[in-house]
Amino acid sequence: CTKCAPHMKLDPFKQTCVDLCEKEVQVWNEVKEECEFCDDACTKCAGDSQTCTECKPGFVLNFDQTC
């Protein structure tokens, strides 16, 4: 898939249309109109890929929600 129906979301990594992006590890990118994974240093994110809610081992979650 390269485009999805209006109620579906494109997961470019799986190349399929899905109801929702993978909770906490992917977020919906309005501009690209596709799911994208959290930043490399995040294990979980919310809102956008750069807003971390949990960091990978060896990283610390900062006040600005980056790792």
Side-chain angles (χ1 to χ4, degrees):
C1 294
T2 56
K3 280 277 191 199
C4 298
H7 65 282
M8 302 291 285
K9 300 183 181 320
L10 177 65
D11 185 333
F13 306 99
K14 294 180 182 175
Q15 296 183 336
T16 59
C17 294
V18 295
D19 290 324
L20 299 168
C21 300
E22 288 185 51
K23 188 178 180 180
E24 297 182 325
V25 296
Q26 287 183 331
V27 291
W28 178 245
N29 184 314
E30 292 280 341
V31 175
K32 294 180 183 177
E33 295 186 338
E34 64 185 30
C35 298
E36 65 182 13
F37 281 101
C38 300
D39 183 71
D40 288 341
C42 304
T43 53
K44 295 180 182 179
C45 60
D48 65 60
S49 62
Q50 304 296 313
T51 304
C52 304
T53 57
E54 190 174 291
C55 300
K56 289 183 178 176
F59 291 90
V60 175
L61 186 61
N62 296 307
F63 290 109
D64 64 356
Q65 291 189 288
T66 60
C67 294

